[in-house]
Amino acid sequence: EAQVTQNPRYLITVTGKKLTVTCSQNMNHEYMSWYRQDPGLGLRQIYYSMNVEVTDKGDVPEGYKVSRKEKRNFPLILESPSPNQTSLYFCASSSTEGGVGFYEQYFGPGTRLTVT
Amino acid sequence: AQKVTQAQTEISVVEKEDVTLDCVYETRDTTYYLFWYKQPPSGELVFLIRRNSFDEQNEISGRYSWNFQKSTSSFNFTITASQVVDSAVYFCALSDLYSSASKIIFGSGTRLSIRP
């Protein structure tokens, strides 16, 4: 079954404690992306990756890191989480049209993060 | 700069009514892609449609239809004979080639409630 998986689904942590949210896709997609969803703001792109070892900032990258060492995995790292990073996070993947343009994105189930 | 505006924050209609969700976008590019996604109460994000800027034909899929008008930079979504299962948050999204072929901008979403 084609899918994007994220772990953990729920996480409560404290300010400053490093955490990693994993994301994995089994569709051999080139493109992967992280979004955060906040009430009234829709989905905002944090980081994206066009392929292995190619990552770039989205609109709200501050406080986040990513890596793409393997095509299937795209972890999101919060080195020192703060309360303003409390949000619902989605990972997504997509095939691309030769690196330009996108087909549909497949989204993971979401990770609800609370930072106290 | 890229921008997607969904001015309708919430819409509530009675079942079987038709409803249109508005999406207005801004881009400096002539080649771009527009998308609609649905987020039901269960929280997952579901792809509905993808349209590239060179294809202005309207599309119909069952009770769903999309009206793409480049002249007004709009990509509106109509649900005919709405049903309770249509209750969800709907997001419009844009990807263009000007700022980056890899960035995807979402609108803030429209919460649609269908009353029985």
Side-chain angles (χ1 to χ4, degrees):
Chain A
E1 179 192 356
Q3 60 181 352
V4 177
T5 56
Q6 293 177 230
N7 282 291
R9 295 289 311 280
Y10 302 91
L11 180 60
I12 300 173
T13 190
V14 296
T15 299
K17 187 176 181 182
K18 181 179 179 179
L19 66 92
T20 299
V21 184
T22 64
C23 173
S24 183
Q25 51 96 2
N26 63 0
M27 295 165 280
N28 201 37
H29 285 163
E30 303 87 4
Y31 182 86
M32 296 186 75
S33 180
W34 276 101
Y35 299 89
R36 60 178 289 173
Q37 183 177 8
D38 302 289
L41 297 177
L43 288 143
R44 293 180 293 168
Q45 196 170 36
I46 303 171
Y47 269 95
Y48 60 88
S49 169
M50 288 299 290
N51 217 320
V52 176
E53 302 293 359
V54 181
T55 63
D56 208 345
K57 297 177 181 178
D59 286 327
V60 289
E62 295 78 21
Y64 305 94
K65 285 176 58 177
V66 293
S67 68
R68 187 95 180 269
K69 294 185 171 59
E70 304 167 284
K71 197 171 186 179
R72 63 183 292 125
N73 296 324
F74 191 45
L76 179 70
I77 302 158
L78 285 72
E79 295 266 358
S80 183
S82 63
N84 65 12
Q85 292 178 299
T86 292
S87 188
L88 178 59
Y89 291 86
F90 287 98
C91 179
S93 73
S94 172
S95 182
T96 65
E97 293 181 330
V100 174
F102 299 94
Y103 294 100
E104 66 175 285
Q105 289 193 88
Y106 291 78
F107 284 85
T111 294
R112 187 165 293 281
L113 172 66
T114 301
V115 183
T116 62
Chain B
Q2 291 176 306
K3 189 176 180 182
V4 176
T5 302
Q6 294 181 257
Q8 303 152 308
T9 305
E10 293 192 34
I11 300 175
S12 180
V13 300
V14 176
E15 198 171 22
K16 297 183 184 175
E17 285 186 14
D18 299 348
V19 58
T20 295
L21 282 61
D22 298 333
C23 173
V24 175
Y25 60 91
E26 293 178 28
T27 175
R28 283 186 266 186
D29 213 333
T30 56
T31 303
Y32 50 89
Y33 297 84
L34 295 163
F35 304 83
W36 277 94
Y37 287 87
K38 173 182 180 180
Q39 187 177 40
S42 50
E44 74 272 22
L45 283 149
V46 179
F47 168 81
L48 295 178
I49 191 170
R50 168 185 180 263
R51 172 69 74 226
N52 77 51
S53 54
F54 296 111
D55 182 1
E56 287 194 72
Q57 280 191 334
N58 292 331
E59 178 146 346
I60 298 174
S61 176
R63 297 183 296 106
Y64 295 173
S65 63
W66 289 269
N67 182 2
F68 177 31
Q69 293 199 337
K70 288 178 77 170
S71 60
T72 55
S73 297
S74 65
F75 187 42
N76 296 337
F77 172 33
T78 297
I79 301 175
T80 302
S82 60
Q83 299 176 4
V84 173
V85 293
D86 296 324
S87 296
V89 180
Y90 291 87
F91 293 100
C92 181
L94 163 71
S95 170
D96 67 23
L97 298 180
Y98 182 83
S99 58
S100 165
S102 310
K103 291 181 75 170
I104 301 175
I105 302 295
F106 281 78
S108 55
T110 296
R111 181 177 299 278
L112 176 63
S113 298
I114 309 297
R115 308 189 305 275

PDB file of all heavy atoms in Angstrom, chain B residues 32-54:
ATOM      1  N   TYR B  32       2.253  27.487 -13.807  1.00  0.00           N
ATOM      2  CA  TYR B  32       2.062  27.171 -12.387  1.00  0.00           C
ATOM      3  C   TYR B  32       1.034  26.059 -12.282  1.00  0.00           C
ATOM      4  O   TYR B  32       0.388  25.670 -13.253  1.00  0.00           O
ATOM      5  CB  TYR B  32       1.628  28.407 -11.593  1.00  0.00           C
ATOM      6  CG  TYR B  32       0.475  29.176 -12.186  1.00  0.00           C
ATOM      7  CD1 TYR B  32      -0.843  28.867 -11.874  1.00  0.00           C
ATOM      8  CD2 TYR B  32       0.708  30.231 -13.072  1.00  0.00           C
ATOM      9  CE1 TYR B  32      -1.888  29.567 -12.414  1.00  0.00           C
ATOM     10  CE2 TYR B  32      -0.336  30.941 -13.621  1.00  0.00           C
ATOM     11  CZ  TYR B  32      -1.633  30.617 -13.289  1.00  0.00           C
ATOM     12  OH  TYR B  32      -2.677  31.316 -13.843  1.00  0.00           O
ATOM     13  N   TYR B  33       0.917  25.542 -11.065  1.00  0.00           N
ATOM     14  CA  TYR B  33      -0.010  24.455 -10.789  1.00  0.00           C
ATOM     15  C   TYR B  33      -0.899  24.856  -9.617  1.00  0.00           C
ATOM     16  O   TYR B  33      -0.451  25.471  -8.658  1.00  0.00           O
ATOM     17  CB  TYR B  33       0.753  23.184 -10.427  1.00  0.00           C
ATOM     18  CG  TYR B  33       1.624  22.681 -11.557  1.00  0.00           C
ATOM     19  CD1 TYR B  33       2.904  23.204 -11.756  1.00  0.00           C
ATOM     20  CD2 TYR B  33       1.170  21.712 -12.431  1.00  0.00           C
ATOM     21  CE1 TYR B  33       3.692  22.766 -12.798  1.00  0.00           C
ATOM     22  CE2 TYR B  33       1.961  21.270 -13.478  1.00  0.00           C
ATOM     23  CZ  TYR B  33       3.219  21.807 -13.651  1.00  0.00           C
ATOM     24  OH  TYR B  33       4.002  21.375 -14.684  1.00  0.00           O
ATOM     25  N   LEU B  34      -2.144  24.480  -9.725  1.00  0.00           N
ATOM     26  CA  LEU B  34      -3.114  24.738  -8.662  1.00  0.00           C
ATOM     27  C   LEU B  34      -3.684  23.417  -8.174  1.00  0.00           C
ATOM     28  O   LEU B  34      -3.874  22.479  -8.959  1.00  0.00           O
ATOM     29  CB  LEU B  34      -4.242  25.633  -9.168  1.00  0.00           C
ATOM     30  CG  LEU B  34      -3.818  27.049  -9.553  1.00  0.00           C
ATOM     31  CD1 LEU B  34      -4.880  27.697 -10.421  1.00  0.00           C
ATOM     32  CD2 LEU B  34      -3.565  27.882  -8.301  1.00  0.00           C
ATOM     33  N   PHE B  35      -3.965  23.364  -6.885  1.00  0.00           N
ATOM     34  CA  PHE B  35      -4.454  22.139  -6.271  1.00  0.00           C
ATOM     35  C   PHE B  35      -5.584  22.461  -5.291  1.00  0.00           C
ATOM     36  O   PHE B  35      -5.666  23.551  -4.751  1.00  0.00           O
ATOM     37  CB  PHE B  35      -3.340  21.454  -5.448  1.00  0.00           C
ATOM     38  CG  PHE B  35      -2.079  21.151  -6.205  1.00  0.00           C
ATOM     39  CD1 PHE B  35      -1.109  22.128  -6.384  1.00  0.00           C
ATOM     40  CD2 PHE B  35      -1.856  19.889  -6.721  1.00  0.00           C
ATOM     41  CE1 PHE B  35       0.065  21.848  -7.068  1.00  0.00           C
ATOM     42  CE2 PHE B  35      -0.677  19.597  -7.405  1.00  0.00           C
ATOM     43  CZ  PHE B  35       0.275  20.584  -7.578  1.00  0.00           C
ATOM     44  N   TRP B  36      -6.430  21.455  -5.098  1.00  0.00           N
ATOM     45  CA  TRP B  36      -7.359  21.472  -3.977  1.00  0.00           C
ATOM     46  C   TRP B  36      -7.163  20.204  -3.168  1.00  0.00           C
ATOM     47  O   TRP B  36      -7.006  19.112  -3.734  1.00  0.00           O
ATOM     48  CB  TRP B  36      -8.813  21.538  -4.450  1.00  0.00           C
ATOM     49  CG  TRP B  36      -9.305  22.915  -4.765  1.00  0.00           C
ATOM     50  CD1 TRP B  36      -9.312  23.538  -5.977  1.00  0.00           C
ATOM     51  CD2 TRP B  36      -9.874  23.850  -3.844  1.00  0.00           C
ATOM     52  NE1 TRP B  36      -9.847  24.800  -5.869  1.00  0.00           N
ATOM     53  CE2 TRP B  36     -10.197  25.011  -4.572  1.00  0.00           C
ATOM     54  CE3 TRP B  36     -10.134  23.813  -2.467  1.00  0.00           C
ATOM     55  CZ2 TRP B  36     -10.779  26.131  -3.976  1.00  0.00           C
ATOM     56  CZ3 TRP B  36     -10.714  24.923  -1.873  1.00  0.00           C
ATOM     57  CH2 TRP B  36     -11.031  26.068  -2.625  1.00  0.00           C
ATOM     58  N   TYR B  37      -7.185  20.385  -1.825  1.00  0.00           N
ATOM     59  CA  TYR B  37      -7.110  19.268  -0.902  1.00  0.00           C
ATOM     60  C   TYR B  37      -8.259  19.368   0.100  1.00  0.00           C
ATOM     61  O   TYR B  37      -8.707  20.455   0.441  1.00  0.00           O
ATOM     62  CB  TYR B  37      -5.777  19.277  -0.128  1.00  0.00           C
ATOM     63  CG  TYR B  37      -4.587  18.879  -0.948  1.00  0.00           C
ATOM     64  CD1 TYR B  37      -3.894  19.831  -1.698  1.00  0.00           C
ATOM     65  CD2 TYR B  37      -4.166  17.561  -1.006  1.00  0.00           C
ATOM     66  CE1 TYR B  37      -2.796  19.471  -2.468  1.00  0.00           C
ATOM     67  CE2 TYR B  37      -3.064  17.187  -1.769  1.00  0.00           C
ATOM     68  CZ  TYR B  37      -2.392  18.152  -2.496  1.00  0.00           C
ATOM     69  OH  TYR B  37      -1.309  17.781  -3.262  1.00  0.00           O
ATOM     70  N   LYS B  38      -8.667  18.214   0.575  1.00  0.00           N
ATOM     71  CA  LYS B  38      -9.740  18.131   1.560  1.00  0.00           C
ATOM     72  C   LYS B  38      -9.178  17.568   2.861  1.00  0.00           C
ATOM     73  O   LYS B  38      -8.393  16.610   2.843  1.00  0.00           O
ATOM     74  CB  LYS B  38     -10.845  17.211   1.036  1.00  0.00           C
ATOM     75  CG  LYS B  38     -11.961  16.900   2.020  1.00  0.00           C
ATOM     76  CD  LYS B  38     -12.956  15.930   1.390  1.00  0.00           C
ATOM     77  CE  LYS B  38     -14.084  15.592   2.357  1.00  0.00           C
ATOM     78  NZ  LYS B  38     -15.070  14.652   1.749  1.00  0.00           N
ATOM     79  N   GLN B  39      -9.575  18.161   3.984  1.00  0.00           N
ATOM     80  CA  GLN B  39      -9.180  17.640   5.289  1.00  0.00           C
ATOM     81  C   GLN B  39     -10.449  17.371   6.094  1.00  0.00           C
ATOM     82  O   GLN B  39     -11.003  18.263   6.727  1.00  0.00           O
ATOM     83  CB  GLN B  39      -8.273  18.619   6.020  1.00  0.00           C
ATOM     84  CG  GLN B  39      -7.703  18.048   7.315  1.00  0.00           C
ATOM     85  CD  GLN B  39      -6.747  18.998   8.002  1.00  0.00           C
ATOM     86  OE1 GLN B  39      -6.975  20.203   8.050  1.00  0.00           O
ATOM     87  NE2 GLN B  39      -5.654  18.469   8.542  1.00  0.00           N
ATOM     88  N   PRO B  40     -10.923  16.131   6.088  1.00  0.00           N
ATOM     89  CA  PRO B  40     -12.124  15.803   6.868  1.00  0.00           C
ATOM     90  C   PRO B  40     -11.830  15.862   8.362  1.00  0.00           C
ATOM     91  O   PRO B  40     -10.671  16.013   8.766  1.00  0.00           O
ATOM     92  CB  PRO B  40     -12.451  14.375   6.408  1.00  0.00           C
ATOM     93  CG  PRO B  40     -11.165  13.836   5.871  1.00  0.00           C
ATOM     94  CD  PRO B  40     -10.378  14.997   5.360  1.00  0.00           C
ATOM     95  N   PRO B  41     -12.853  15.739   9.183  1.00  0.00           N
ATOM     96  CA  PRO B  41     -12.652  15.817  10.641  1.00  0.00           C
ATOM     97  C   PRO B  41     -11.636  14.814  11.177  1.00  0.00           C
ATOM     98  O   PRO B  41     -11.039  15.051  12.227  1.00  0.00           O
ATOM     99  CB  PRO B  41     -14.056  15.552  11.190  1.00  0.00           C
ATOM    100  CG  PRO B  41     -14.975  16.010  10.109  1.00  0.00           C
ATOM    101  CD  PRO B  41     -14.279  15.683   8.828  1.00  0.00           C
ATOM    102  N   SER B  42     -11.422  13.723  10.478  1.00  0.00           N
ATOM    103  CA  SER B  42     -10.444  12.732  10.925  1.00  0.00           C
ATOM    104  C   SER B  42      -9.010  13.237  10.789  1.00  0.00           C
ATOM    105  O   SER B  42      -8.096  12.652  11.368  1.00  0.00           O
ATOM    106  CB  SER B  42     -10.617  11.442  10.133  1.00  0.00           C
ATOM    107  OG  SER B  42     -10.643  11.723   8.749  1.00  0.00           O
ATOM    108  N   GLY B  43      -8.808  14.305  10.024  1.00  0.00           N
ATOM    109  CA  GLY B  43      -7.512  14.974  10.015  1.00  0.00           C
ATOM    110  C   GLY B  43      -6.583  14.706   8.851  1.00  0.00           C
ATOM    111  O   GLY B  43      -5.623  15.449   8.658  1.00  0.00           O
ATOM    112  N   GLU B  44      -6.829  13.661   8.077  1.00  0.00           N
ATOM    113  CA  GLU B  44      -5.918  13.393   6.959  1.00  0.00           C
ATOM    114  C   GLU B  44      -6.148  14.392   5.838  1.00  0.00           C
ATOM    115  O   GLU B  44      -7.196  15.024   5.757  1.00  0.00           O
ATOM    116  CB  GLU B  44      -6.090  11.950   6.450  1.00  0.00           C
ATOM    117  CG  GLU B  44      -7.336  11.699   5.649  1.00  0.00           C
ATOM    118  CD  GLU B  44      -8.521  11.306   6.503  1.00  0.00           C
ATOM    119  OE1 GLU B  44      -8.533  11.617   7.704  1.00  0.00           O
ATOM    120  OE2 GLU B  44      -9.445  10.683   5.944  1.00  0.00           O
ATOM    121  N   LEU B  45      -5.183  14.521   4.988  1.00  0.00           N
ATOM    122  CA  LEU B  45      -5.281  15.434   3.839  1.00  0.00           C
ATOM    123  C   LEU B  45      -5.444  14.608   2.574  1.00  0.00           C
ATOM    124  O   LEU B  45      -4.631  13.730   2.282  1.00  0.00           O
ATOM    125  CB  LEU B  45      -4.038  16.317   3.752  1.00  0.00           C
ATOM    126  CG  LEU B  45      -4.054  17.452   4.774  1.00  0.00           C
ATOM    127  CD1 LEU B  45      -2.652  17.813   5.215  1.00  0.00           C
ATOM    128  CD2 LEU B  45      -4.764  18.666   4.195  1.00  0.00           C
ATOM    129  N   VAL B  46      -6.473  14.927   1.826  1.00  0.00           N
ATOM    130  CA  VAL B  46      -6.839  14.138   0.658  1.00  0.00           C
ATOM    131  C   VAL B  46      -6.778  15.012  -0.583  1.00  0.00           C
ATOM    132  O   VAL B  46      -7.394  16.077  -0.635  1.00  0.00           O
ATOM    133  CB  VAL B  46      -8.265  13.561   0.827  1.00  0.00           C
ATOM    134  CG1 VAL B  46      -8.652  12.760  -0.409  1.00  0.00           C
ATOM    135  CG2 VAL B  46      -8.361  12.716   2.079  1.00  0.00           C
ATOM    136  N   PHE B  47      -6.053  14.555  -1.570  1.00  0.00           N
ATOM    137  CA  PHE B  47      -5.935  15.271  -2.833  1.00  0.00           C
ATOM    138  C   PHE B  47      -7.253  15.212  -3.594  1.00  0.00           C
ATOM    139  O   PHE B  47      -7.897  14.161  -3.680  1.00  0.00           O
ATOM    140  CB  PHE B  47      -4.826  14.604  -3.649  1.00  0.00           C
ATOM    141  CG  PHE B  47      -4.766  15.025  -5.087  1.00  0.00           C
ATOM    142  CD1 PHE B  47      -4.158  16.209  -5.451  1.00  0.00           C
ATOM    143  CD2 PHE B  47      -5.299  14.213  -6.070  1.00  0.00           C
ATOM    144  CE1 PHE B  47      -4.076  16.580  -6.778  1.00  0.00           C
ATOM    145  CE2 PHE B  47      -5.223  14.572  -7.407  1.00  0.00           C
ATOM    146  CZ  PHE B  47      -4.613  15.761  -7.768  1.00  0.00           C
ATOM    147  N   LEU B  48      -7.662  16.356  -4.169  1.00  0.00           N
ATOM    148  CA  LEU B  48      -8.878  16.401  -4.974  1.00  0.00           C
ATOM    149  C   LEU B  48      -8.575  16.639  -6.445  1.00  0.00           C
ATOM    150  O   LEU B  48      -9.118  15.955  -7.314  1.00  0.00           O
ATOM    151  CB  LEU B  48      -9.810  17.495  -4.457  1.00  0.00           C
ATOM    152  CG  LEU B  48     -10.381  17.298  -3.061  1.00  0.00           C
ATOM    153  CD1 LEU B  48     -11.240  18.496  -2.677  1.00  0.00           C
ATOM    154  CD2 LEU B  48     -11.182  16.005  -2.971  1.00  0.00           C
ATOM    155  N   ILE B  49      -7.759  17.632  -6.744  1.00  0.00           N
ATOM    156  CA  ILE B  49      -7.526  17.979  -8.142  1.00  0.00           C
ATOM    157  C   ILE B  49      -6.209  18.731  -8.297  1.00  0.00           C
ATOM    158  O   ILE B  49      -5.745  19.398  -7.373  1.00  0.00           O
ATOM    159  CB  ILE B  49      -8.679  18.827  -8.714  1.00  0.00           C
ATOM    160  CG1 ILE B  49      -8.547  18.959 -10.234  1.00  0.00           C
ATOM    161  CG2 ILE B  49      -8.719  20.199  -8.038  1.00  0.00           C
ATOM    162  CD1 ILE B  49      -9.759  19.581 -10.900  1.00  0.00           C
ATOM    163  N   ARG B  50      -5.637  18.604  -9.484  1.00  0.00           N
ATOM    164  CA  ARG B  50      -4.451  19.339  -9.897  1.00  0.00           C
ATOM    165  C   ARG B  50      -4.754  19.957 -11.245  1.00  0.00           C
ATOM    166  O   ARG B  50      -5.316  19.312 -12.120  1.00  0.00           O
ATOM    167  CB  ARG B  50      -3.266  18.401 -10.012  1.00  0.00           C
ATOM    168  CG  ARG B  50      -2.030  18.956 -10.710  1.00  0.00           C
ATOM    169  CD  ARG B  50      -1.009  17.842 -10.830  1.00  0.00           C
ATOM    170  NE  ARG B  50       0.204  18.224 -11.466  1.00  0.00           N
ATOM    171  CZ  ARG B  50       0.490  18.031 -12.745  1.00  0.00           C
ATOM    172  NH1 ARG B  50      -0.398  17.473 -13.542  1.00  0.00           N
ATOM    173  NH2 ARG B  50       1.658  18.388 -13.238  1.00  0.00           N
ATOM    174  N   ARG B  51      -4.364  21.196 -11.423  1.00  0.00           N
ATOM    175  CA  ARG B  51      -4.594  21.887 -12.689  1.00  0.00           C
ATOM    176  C   ARG B  51      -3.335  22.678 -13.038  1.00  0.00           C
ATOM    177  O   ARG B  51      -2.807  23.383 -12.191  1.00  0.00           O
ATOM    178  CB  ARG B  51      -5.798  22.820 -12.545  1.00  0.00           C
ATOM    179  CG  ARG B  51      -6.040  23.727 -13.709  1.00  0.00           C
ATOM    180  CD  ARG B  51      -6.502  22.955 -14.912  1.00  0.00           C
ATOM    181  NE  ARG B  51      -7.883  22.520 -14.778  1.00  0.00           N
ATOM    182  CZ  ARG B  51      -8.296  21.303 -15.058  1.00  0.00           C
ATOM    183  NH1 ARG B  51      -7.453  20.384 -15.474  1.00  0.00           N
ATOM    184  NH2 ARG B  51      -9.555  20.975 -14.951  1.00  0.00           N
ATOM    185  N   ASN B  52      -2.861  22.581 -14.267  1.00  0.00           N
ATOM    186  CA  ASN B  52      -1.752  23.446 -14.658  1.00  0.00           C
ATOM    187  C   ASN B  52      -2.284  24.676 -15.367  1.00  0.00           C
ATOM    188  O   ASN B  52      -3.422  24.695 -15.863  1.00  0.00           O
ATOM    189  CB  ASN B  52      -0.700  22.693 -15.473  1.00  0.00           C
ATOM    190  CG  ASN B  52      -1.126  22.463 -16.912  1.00  0.00           C
ATOM    191  OD1 ASN B  52      -1.538  23.388 -17.601  1.00  0.00           O
ATOM    192  ND2 ASN B  52      -0.996  21.241 -17.366  1.00  0.00           N
ATOM    193  N   SER B  53      -1.473  25.692 -15.425  1.00  0.00           N
ATOM    194  CA  SER B  53      -1.928  27.012 -15.872  1.00  0.00           C
ATOM    195  C   SER B  53      -2.294  27.056 -17.350  1.00  0.00           C
ATOM    196  O   SER B  53      -2.928  28.011 -17.809  1.00  0.00           O
ATOM    197  CB  SER B  53      -0.862  28.062 -15.577  1.00  0.00           C
ATOM    198  OG  SER B  53       0.385  27.682 -16.125  1.00  0.00           O
ATOM    199  N   PHE B  54      -1.905  26.049 -18.097  1.00  0.00           N
ATOM    200  CA  PHE B  54      -2.225  26.055 -19.521  1.00  0.00           C
ATOM    201  C   PHE B  54      -3.539  25.346 -19.825  1.00  0.00           C
ATOM    202  O   PHE B  54      -3.978  25.321 -20.968  1.00  0.00           O
ATOM    203  CB  PHE B  54      -1.090  25.396 -20.306  1.00  0.00           C
ATOM    204  CG  PHE B  54       0.193  26.157 -20.193  1.00  0.00           C
ATOM    205  CD1 PHE B  54       1.270  25.637 -19.494  1.00  0.00           C
ATOM    206  CD2 PHE B  54       0.327  27.407 -20.770  1.00  0.00           C
ATOM    207  CE1 PHE B  54       2.450  26.351 -19.372  1.00  0.00           C
ATOM    208  CE2 PHE B  54       1.501  28.128 -20.660  1.00  0.00           C
ATOM    209  CZ  PHE B  54       2.564  27.592 -19.961  1.00  0.00           C
TER     210      PHE B  54
END
